[in-house]
Amino acid sequence: MTHAARVWIALGTVYLIWGSTYLGIELTGETIPPLFAIGVRFLAAASLMFAITVWRHGIGSLRIGRVELASCALIGLLLPGANAMLFVAERHVPTGVASLIIGAVPLWIVLLRTLTGDRPPRAALVGVVVGFCGLVLLVRPSGGAPLWSLLLVVASSATWATGAFLSGRLPLPRDAFAATSYEMLAGGLILLPIGLVATHPHVSQFSGRSIGGFVYLVTFGSVIGYTAFVWLLDNAPIGQVATYAYVNPVVAIALGAIVLHESITWTIAVGAVLVLACVAIVVRRESIPPEAEAVGAGVAEVS
């Protein structure tokens, strides 16, 4: 198999798996309490990622200092915390709309860079302004989604972007798999106790469909998708890898329409075009490292 073929297989894996995690979240949240599900998900994924890290790079790759551990804990709070918000919101927000709002993470990162004194290209700033206009169209109490749940997805996107922004500026382990393992572990340890106290989950009430969605999120979304993504970072141009940022929402919208029979209104269509076009412009102009969106869970999303 040629190198180009392997790149496209890995890229297709990231497209399909990370685009489908929104459907996995929706199915999981049907009968499993969101905070409990996200806590267990990250602890399970962390265990798998630790095993993969040791297998790939040896036990020495897990060495970590106090400052790095504190950084991982902070990122682990922000990124899984953002994912927890998405879990709660997706009980009310269509998966396609949620994926588009989360897909605006690169726009938030440019905004954060600007607020901290950086000077992104003018085209990127214009893209941010127009892209946020698209978000305004999406964040409307239409299609039965209450405004609070839509705003919660916006908060999830902004929180994820903050974690992504800080992950490039805080001291973290040099091994990307090790850093991700510690971040997922921190997120799980923080969120699981909250989920147990707040929801008192009963396993007997979990449906097979929800359990299937949960297993998919842990294995495919958090491990296989992230492994393919890290391989791409080392073997493909960053601009090509970054295309996942605006392909994943398209996959999520398609699956939401096919599997969950979600409707696509004209406001969603217009908002989607504005957001995705501007994300594409920002990614192309800025070459924002997409690993920021994947750190911790391997979701878009992002997620």
Side-chain angles (χ1 to χ4, degrees):
M1 184 182 298
T2 65
H3 177 75
R6 289 196 294 269
V7 167
W8 279 108
I9 289 174
L11 200 57
T13 299
V14 173
Y15 286 167
L16 293 175
I17 290 180
W18 282 358
S20 62
T21 54
Y22 295 92
L23 176 60
I25 290 173
E26 172 72 22
L27 297 179
T28 301
E30 287 180 347
T31 60
I32 302 179
L35 293 179
F36 172 77
I38 198 67
V40 176
R41 175 194 176 186
F42 278 108
L43 287 179
S47 300
L48 293 174
M49 288 299 294
F50 274 121
I52 292 174
T53 303
V54 173
W55 174 64
R56 286 173 60 96
H57 304 127
I59 191 68
S61 62
L62 296 181
R63 292 193 183 94
I64 187 171
R66 292 183 180 179
V67 176
E68 292 176 334
L69 185 60
S71 297
C72 286
L74 176 59
I75 302 301
L77 174 62
L78 290 171
L79 298 185
N83 203 274
M85 294 181 199
L86 181 62
F87 252 84
V88 173
E90 269 207 37
R91 287 190 163 189
H92 307 278
V93 179
T95 57
V97 174
S99 68
L100 288 168
I101 297 174
I102 296 296
V105 163
L107 306 183
W108 286 106
I109 293 177
V110 171
L111 179 61
L112 288 170
R113 288 181 54 206
T114 304
L115 293 176
T116 54
D118 203 350
R119 301 183 66 180
R122 182 175 299 177
L125 293 176
V126 172
V128 169
V129 173
V130 177
F132 280 134
C133 290
L135 284 182
V136 171
L137 286 177
L138 294 172
V139 183
R140 297 175 59 188
S142 57
L147 181 59
W148 71 264
S149 62
L150 291 165
L151 293 177
L152 189 60
V153 182
V154 174
S156 173
S157 180
T159 302
W160 192 280
T162 302
F165 179 76
L166 292 176
S167 69
R169 290 157 176 78
L170 294 177
L172 295 171
R174 298 180 64 180
D175 188 295
F177 281 91
T180 300
S181 301
Y182 283 113
E183 289 160 1
M184 286 195 288
L185 177 63
L189 290 175
I190 293 169
L191 292 170
L192 181 57
I194 298 174
L196 289 172
V197 172
T199 59
H200 304 289
H202 300 283
V203 178
S204 60
Q205 298 177 355
F206 299 169
S207 69
R209 186 157 127 150
S210 290
I211 293 174
F214 175 81
V215 172
Y216 180 83
L217 289 175
V218 172
T219 55
F220 285 83
S222 296
V223 178
I224 296 177
Y226 183 74
T227 301
F229 177 80
V230 172
W231 183 88
L232 282 168
L233 290 178
D234 294 330
N235 293 274
I238 191 68
Q240 185 179 21
V241 180
T243 56
Y244 86 93
Y246 41 92
V247 174
N248 288 166
V250 175
V251 174
I253 291 172
L255 289 176
I258 295 171
V259 179
L260 302 176
H261 308 292
E262 295 177 349
S263 60
I264 302 175
T265 65
W266 72 268
T267 53
I268 293 176
V270 174
V273 170
L274 289 175
V275 171
L276 296 181
C278 292
V279 167
I281 291 172
V282 167
V283 169
R284 293 289 185 180
R285 295 288 298 180
E286 288 289 284
S287 294
I288 295 174
E291 68 268 27
E293 193 173 340
V295 170
V299 292
E301 145 21 6
V302 74
S303 27

